[in-house]
Amino acid sequence: MAGGVASRHAASDDDGLVQIGVLAERVGLSLRSVRYYEEVGLLTPTTRSVGGFRLYGPEQEERLLLIKQMKPLGFSLDEMRELLDMLDDGAKATPGSKKARRLAVELDREIDEVVSRRHELEKQLDAVDRLARSLRTMSRHLAATDED
Amino acid sequence: MAGGVASRHAASDDDGLVQIGVLAERVGLSLRSVRYYEEVGLLTPTTRSVGGFRLYGPEQEERLLLIKQMKPLGFSLDEMRELLDMLDDGAKATPGSKKARRLAVELDREIDEVVSRRHELEKQLDAVDRLARSLRTMSRHLAATDED
DNA sequence: TTGCTCCTCACGTCACGTGAGGTGGC
DNA sequence: TTGCTCCTCACGTCACGTGAGGTGGC
């Protein structure tokens, strides 16, 4: 092991921990969003540096990525927290145990919700396609120079 | 023509005008949203009844539908107003005229924006699918009763 | 008169954006 | 010392939600 040295520009740590700037950049969210998610209990930093800087591990990055991916479905942050906490509970539970089976049932409900919202969104995308086509028609109509 | 009689429950008018409740129901938006769109100059009622009730014609319903369909793309109401007003201008302009050709150029830029946001959304939908699959895997793993 | 839909304030909420002023390590 | 990234308030914004109190036509 390389020991607890290094960290160029204090951007990343030997432990694989990263500052909020790196995390936000990687996932594609604003610093404000990440901090806000902490405010509402959706994403807690793994730890803090001596100077008070938030430091995040890979599990937090994974969690943040899930959050970002769920955004287009229009879940509230509270609903996302519910689902993500459920997943964390699931990771700790023994498969087949009573607790795990109860979790699976709840999880199935969440999955149904995800799928149904996904289908809604897909229908809306189809509507967007029709819109784009009619916009193109309109544009060609307007630009018509009578030379064809 | 049947003359200016009727209107059961004052819900619709002979002119094809409808009250806000009917409009909102048809398009699938809240009364508050429709009123808010008027506040920001995005959708003006065709007229008002004697009692002050908002009345909307088919063109307004069409416009509201476009607004609803653009929502998943994440345009701000101001950006939508820009596009919709552009379409209205286009409907009034003579095809091939200088004004119409300028409009067509602007419209093409808007179309590019719509298409690029649409593709972004599609990529996010793919991510959602992967998410749903891993949720299902997790659920089956938890529910495993060792009996298969 | 009752019931329904509508009306206008106006304050609340959610998910952040945006400075303001300050700290901390190369 | 300069430059960069980070910090904590705290107020602003966007797109509505949600009553509060009142009106209007079958």
Side-chain angles (χ1 to χ4, degrees), chain A residues 90 95-96 108 118 129 139 141-142 144, chain B residues 95-96 108 118 129 139 141-142 144:
Chain A
D108 286 342
R118 196 234 111 102
D129 287 342
S139 171
H141 175 65
L142 286 173
Chain B
D108 287 342
R118 196 233 112 101
D129 287 342
S139 171
H141 175 65
L142 285 174

Side-chain angles (χ1 to χ4, degrees), chain A residues 15-30:
Chain A
D15 316 322
L17 298 179
V18 294
Q19 289 184 8
I20 193 172
V22 177
L23 179 75
E25 171 75 15
R26 281 185 189 166
V27 176
L29 289 168
S30 72

Side-chain angles (χ1 to χ4, degrees), chain B residues 9-53:
Chain B
H9 285 195
S12 79
D13 205 54
D14 247 12
D15 316 322
L17 298 178
V18 295
Q19 288 184 10
I20 192 172
V22 176
L23 179 75
E25 171 75 15
R26 280 186 190 167
V27 176
L29 288 168
S30 72
L31 302 194
R32 180 59 172 121
S33 292
V34 178
R35 292 196 192 107
Y36 181 67
Y37 296 161
E38 182 180 357
E39 259 183 73
V40 299
L42 187 54
L43 183 81
T44 315
T46 309
T47 183
R48 294 261 186 158
S49 76
V50 186
F53 288 17

